[in-house]
Amino acid sequence: MTSPASTTEGTGRFPPIYRWTLFCFSIFALKFLLFAIDPIPKLYMGDSGSYIWTALSGWIPPDRSFFYGYVIRWTALWTESLTFLLVVQVCLSAITCILFSSITRVIFELPERWSYVFGFVCAIDPLQLLYERYVMTEAISLCLYAFVIYYAFLYLKSHRLRNLVIVQAVSVLLIGFRMSFLLQVQINTIILPLIAFAPDVLKRIRRRPIADPSPRSPARVCAGHLLLSVTLMFLLHAGYKRANGWLSDREPDYLYSTGITLLAYWAPVLQPEDASDPRLADLIRRGDEFGLRNPVFRNAQRFRPGYLIDRLSKLEPDRSKADSLAKKTALHALWRDPLGILGIGWRTYVGYWNVAMMKKCAVADFSFRRPPDDKLIALLASRFHLTYAKGTTTMSAIQLYYIVAWPYYFLILLAPLLSGFAIALRSVRRYAILLFVHISIMMAMSMTFGSASIRYLQPISFMTLLVFALGAKISLRSVQKDEAIAGGQRSSVETLRPDLNVLVQPAFNGS
């Protein structure tokens, strides 16, 4: 990721490798300076409680990825402090920003100075800064996601198989930390070879309508890459499911409460005829007793006593049978009323477009209303020497910044539209398509399966900044073209590259 240390006249005071090293050091320094301002570990119940219990006992949560619990075990148990865990997360967050800058320079080919600027903008992203301090998977999973995106872009640029293999290998680690990325990983498996080779295949079809028997034809190479990508995904994911089943002492699977999750978050569209079991059909029929039709209560339907899932568990104590029954009912509702499911996500999306609601959602992410119980507070004190003042609602500096940054969250909500516009630009189309697909999937998932919470937008924020960087590339190219025309040169931007290379030496090169 770095170029040879060669000094070129006019490129600045330091040779490129020194400037790149200084930039990386500055990112780490900024991250740890902000960490020193707000170093207290924070909890979000009950995610944090589940991960801590995994670290202490080896228990595998049925509804969450389990890798993070072992990270807590390896970093916090032997030190008897959660601070070292946060230090690791801050370091990984800094690497995320460096990867972001690498994408803007190596892939988007922004000038070196602009790539550094975007790297610092990424470093002060409020959604990154807040979750560096939480005992949650967001910081680690975002770093892994940045690796996936970086090598996905490299693959689109170079068509090298090794980059495709790296994407699949890191992707299985990604879902091991945060299963909400599963759909992106699966779709990535298919679309990466298609996006990479589609222009060449279409060009060959236009030039030579008759099938090309050459083994190196774009269509054949695309098919080979697609087959390898799908095969790798199935093998790696099968290994993950077997590991999860072995640790959970159950059958291999990604999670063991998928049906329950679907049933809870799609509760507003459920009808009695969706359930094959008469007990669940009667429960849905009496849904007004616990606000089944109210989208606001979807999170409550999943976790709170007296709501849908709690009542279902009393009707069917066997968790495996209850989850199977819930999955069948939820999928029947999807088949019967797909527009109703989409409507749930749309109403959630529209609900964000209110300043007061946006601030309320930001405060909800601090979990003030769901503090740890007395048992967990005692456990935190005995095992991690962490004193937790129950009932406190005092906000830290980073939490205040998280709330003050509310205008930025409206830009995140526009990310699908902004990335969609970029697809119309031929020079960046393949990158824009990948951004649009990932952003659209993440937005749909966060609105359909999430409650009123900004934390679900955290990975979308990273991608939104990439959309802005792509826009900067387009704008700079337009300015350079206008300057070339004004100077009497040829209008093609390609003729400017030798001149630009003299002025701006790349700090690093991708392969």
Side-chain angles (χ1 to χ4, degrees):
M1 292 174 62
T2 57
S3 64
S6 58
T7 306
T8 304
E9 185 179 358
T11 60
R13 183 176 179 182
F14 300 108
I17 193 171
Y18 289 169
R19 291 200 298 272
W20 174 241
T21 303
L22 179 61
F23 165 73
C24 295
F25 176 81
S26 300
I27 290 292
F28 274 91
L30 175 60
K31 284 291 187 181
F32 277 99
L33 174 63
L34 295 173
F35 178 64
I37 295 173
D38 185 3
I40 305 300
K42 297 173 176 58
L43 305 175
Y44 187 93
M45 307 308 297
D47 297 63
S48 299
S50 296
Y51 299 132
I52 289 172
W53 189 242
T54 298
L56 294 173
S57 67
W59 170 76
I60 305 300
D63 56 350
R64 296 176 177 89
S65 301
F66 64 90
F67 284 5
Y68 187 65
Y70 289 96
V71 173
I72 297 175
R73 174 180 291 186
W74 298 329
T75 58
L77 286 188
W78 65 276
T79 60
E80 296 187 345
S81 172
L82 291 170
T83 300
F84 187 59
L85 170 67
L86 301 193
V87 169
V88 171
Q89 293 184 173
V90 170
C91 289
L92 291 175
S93 187
I95 293 173
T96 299
C97 301
I98 293 170
L99 283 168
F100 180 91
S101 183
S102 300
I103 292 172
T104 62
R105 185 71 182 112
V106 174
I107 309 299
F108 297 169
E109 299 179 359
L110 277 175
E112 184 181 349
R113 183 182 306 170
W114 280 97
S115 69
Y116 295 163
V117 169
F118 274 104
F120 281 110
V121 170
C122 183
I124 60 172
D125 180 354
L127 284 154
Q128 277 194 51
L129 291 177
L130 182 71
Y131 291 103
E132 292 167 10
R133 289 145 181 81
Y134 270 80
V135 183
M136 293 180 67
T137 64
E138 270 75 0
I140 297 178
S141 62
L142 185 63
C143 183
L144 291 172
Y145 186 55
F147 267 102
V148 170
I149 294 301
Y150 176 72
Y151 280 98
F153 279 138
L154 279 182
Y155 173 73
L156 293 181
K157 186 172 186 177
S158 66
H159 298 179
R160 290 184 179 178
L161 275 175
R162 71 174 183 182
N163 294 325
L164 191 61
V165 172
I166 292 173
V167 167
Q168 290 296 342
V170 179
S171 292
V172 77
L173 291 175
L174 176 61
I175 63 171
F177 280 97
R178 198 171 180 187
M179 192 56 66
S180 59
F181 285 102
L182 178 60
L183 186 57
Q184 288 100 292
V185 168
Q186 292 173 333
I187 292 180
N188 221 28
T189 300
I190 305 297
I191 67 171
L192 274 180
L194 296 180
I195 297 174
F197 291 97
D200 294 333
V201 171
L202 293 176
K203 189 183 298 182
R204 183 66 63 91
I205 290 174
R206 286 194 296 266
R207 291 180 179 177
R208 193 179 302 177
I210 302 175
D212 186 358
S214 171
R216 299 300 301 171
S217 67
R220 290 175 181 268
V221 175
C222 178
H225 284 217
L226 182 60
L227 178 61
L228 176 65
S229 183
V230 172
T231 302
L232 280 174
M233 188 202 75
F234 276 112
L235 291 176
L236 292 171
H237 288 218
Y240 173 84
K241 290 190 284 187
R242 285 186 176 275
N244 191 31
W246 178 69
L247 291 170
S248 304
D249 197 21
R250 299 180 65 171
E251 70 281 0
D253 207 342
Y254 289 113
L255 298 172
Y256 298 101
S257 62
T258 304
I260 286 174
T261 301
L262 293 175
L263 191 72
Y265 288 111
W266 294 350
V269 302
L270 295 177
Q271 296 295 333
E273 59 268 24
D274 294 326
S276 57
D277 190 305
R279 297 173 299 171
L280 181 54
D282 183 63
L283 181 60
I284 295 172
R285 193 175 292 110
R286 295 183 288 107
D288 291 340
E289 298 176 8
F290 47 93
L292 186 71
R293 311 295 173 199
N294 192 338
V296 176
F297 293 151
R298 288 185 300 148
N299 205 48
Q301 305 294 353
R302 174 67 181 88
F303 295 107
R304 292 186 186 177
Y307 285 82
L308 177 61
I309 301 307
D310 180 58
R311 295 183 181 224
L312 175 60
S313 64
K314 293 175 181 177
L315 294 175
E316 179 51 76
D318 188 298
R319 292 185 177 182
S320 181
K321 292 181 180 179
D323 186 69
S324 177
L325 175 59
K327 182 182 290 187
K328 291 178 182 178
T329 304
L331 294 178
H332 191 281
L334 175 63
W335 179 262
R336 176 184 53 81
D337 189 13
L339 293 179
I341 303 295
L342 293 175
I344 294 174
W346 175 250
R347 286 193 295 272
T348 304
Y349 178 82
V350 172
Y352 278 102
W353 287 94
N354 180 283
V355 174
M357 183 62 180
M358 189 67 79
K359 293 181 179 180
K360 182 180 178 181
C361 292
V363 175
D365 289 345
F366 305 152
S367 195
F368 288 150
R369 294 183 179 180
R370 296 187 64 196
D373 56 24
D374 294 335
K375 183 179 179 180
L376 182 56
I377 290 176
L379 186 66
L380 292 171
S382 62
R383 300 302 299 269
F384 304 106
H385 303 289
L386 177 64
T387 302
Y388 195 95
K390 191 173 182 179
T392 180
T393 57
T394 303
M395 296 184 190
S396 66
I398 297 299
Q399 287 174 328
L400 289 172
Y401 173 58
Y402 188 75
I403 297 174
V404 171
W406 62 264
Y408 170 63
Y409 305 143
F410 289 114
L411 291 177
I412 298 176
L413 294 176
L414 291 174
L417 184 64
L418 297 175
S419 58
F421 285 149
I423 295 176
L425 301 167
R426 186 174 181 179
S427 60
V428 296
R429 183 169 296 161
R430 53 186 172 176
Y431 307 134
I433 291 175
L434 187 64
L435 288 172
F436 174 76
V437 171
H438 276 251
I439 290 172
S440 299
I441 293 172
M442 286 187 288
M443 188 68 74
M445 294 285 288
S446 63
M447 298 304 159
T448 305
F449 296 100
S451 55
S453 175
I454 297 174
R455 74 185 182 96
Y456 298 113
L457 304 179
Q458 188 232 21
I460 308 178
S461 176
F462 179 84
M463 301 296 278
T464 302
L465 293 176
L466 284 178
V467 173
F468 292 152
L470 201 61
K473 169 186 172 66
I474 297 166
S475 300
L476 288 172
R477 175 171 290 185
S478 178
V479 170
Q480 293 163 359
K481 185 176 180 179
D482 291 342
E483 290 176 350
I485 295 174
Q489 301 178 22
R490 285 184 295 168
S491 61
S492 173
V493 180
E494 296 296 327
T495 60
L496 292 175
R497 287 183 177 173
D499 297 328
L500 289 175
N501 287 336
V502 174
L503 295 175
V504 184
Q505 289 293 319
F508 44 89
N509 295 310
S511 60

